[in-house]
Amino acid sequence: MKPMISPSILNCDIADLRGELTKIQNADRAHVDCMDNHFVPNLSWGVPVAEAVVKSGILPVDAHLMIADPDRWAPAYAEIGCESVTFHAEAATAPLRLARELRHLGSKAGLALRPATDIDPFVDILGEFDMILVMTVEPGFGGQSFIESMMAKVRRTREAISAAGLEVSIQVDGGISRKTIEIAAEAGADNFVAGSAVFKADDAYAEVEELRRLAAQHCH
Ligand code: DX5
Ligand code: ZN
């Protein structure tokens, strides 16, 4: 699978969102982290900001919803034109029904797993999703350290996807940088979220290129 680089705009210069998105226009997606202060202890943004990023037309939007009750709130992100909408397994009441609804509304459906949530309960419904997001930090904040022990889950997820003969993307999010992206790619991830690594770099465009190059050497 070709690696995708999805920079998280959580800690970019929000006052210059268009400028920041333009810097990373060589990326594959803009990863928009929506937090509600309930599911995670942090508040970021919701539908209006995601919609502004969609309307900027610079990059397709990959919405990561760290929110309670996604069954109720996630479909709106598909309706405004997000390319992909990822909700958390721990927060959804009916993940299968929600995934179908998101796809019906025209977006890709993603399922996110916190570090302590296993993939096992979802192996029989992997085909309902376009992407599994294996969190490599506890969700809530940018700038945390990559949890390498999550690579076992990435491997198990990749094996289950292959065993089912499916083509489902595996995204990793949290602490992805030049130091960690190769380990994640080797384990079977193909979609990489990087926040601080990209936006703290002197040249965000070049950082996206370098991350993609490193990942491509290991993507299966
Ligand atoms: C964490 C978010 C991530 C995060 C990534 O809750 O989902 O997208 O902002 O930032 P870094 O790359 O700095 O860990
Ligand atoms: Zn995220």
Side-chain angles (χ1 to χ4, degrees):
M1 269 175 141
K2 242 181 103 214
M4 280 207 196
I5 306 296
S6 310
S8 161
I9 59 169
L10 185 61
N11 289 316
C12 75
D13 177 5
I14 314 164
D16 181 23
L17 201 43
R18 184 179 293 277
E20 295 286 74
L21 288 165
T22 305
K23 276 188 198 165
I24 54 151
Q25 55 188 300
N26 56 330
D28 298 281
R29 303 270 185 275
H31 181 86
V32 177
D33 286 304
C34 299
M35 307 182 185
D36 66 351
N37 230 354
H38 292 275
F39 182 70
V40 288
N42 195 7
L43 184 64
S44 59
W45 40 52
V47 170
V49 171
E51 188 170 18
V53 180
V54 169
K55 283 195 172 152
S56 76
I58 300 168
L59 283 171
V61 171
D62 167 35
H64 176 195
L65 307 184
M66 287 161 276
I67 62 171
D69 203 3
D71 303 69
R72 177 171 175 194
W73 302 110
Y77 291 84
E79 281 163 0
I80 57 153
C82 291
E83 164 85 11
S84 169
V85 178
T86 299
F87 60 87
H88 269 266
E90 308 83 6
T93 303
L96 191 151
R97 185 178 64 205
L98 181 54
R100 288 185 178 176
E101 189 177 352
L102 293 171
R103 282 177 158 184
H104 180 72
L105 290 167
S107 96
K108 295 195 165 74
L111 181 74
L113 308 172
R114 296 184 84 131
T117 305
D118 201 358
I119 187 65
D120 281 4
F122 304 100
V123 287
D124 294 331
I125 59 165
L126 284 171
E128 303 283 342
F129 298 95
D130 300 284
M131 185 166 85
I132 303 297
L133 165 49
V134 176
M135 289 301 301
T136 43
V137 296
E138 276 294 354
F141 301 91
Q144 303 181 75
S145 303
F146 178 75
I147 304 171
E148 194 170 339
S149 55
M150 291 299 108
M151 295 306 99
K153 197 196 305 186
V154 171
R155 264 184 221 103
R156 284 199 304 281
T157 305
R158 180 53 74 203
E159 280 162 17
I161 291 167
S162 303
L166 297 166
E167 274 216 18
V168 181
S169 201
I170 299 179
Q171 186 175 62
V172 281
D173 181 6
I176 298 295
S177 69
R178 292 182 188 207
K179 283 203 183 96
T180 56
I181 194 164
E182 293 178 90
I183 300 166
E186 183 57 42
D190 61 284
N191 187 318
F192 306 87
V193 177
S196 23
V198 167
F199 285 103
K200 287 212 169 107
D202 293 336
D203 182 344
Y205 188 101
E207 198 62 27
V208 168
E209 290 300 302
E210 179 60 6
L211 290 173
R212 188 186 281 117
R213 189 187 70 77
L214 290 171
Q217 294 178 351
H218 301 271
C219 271
H220 304 277

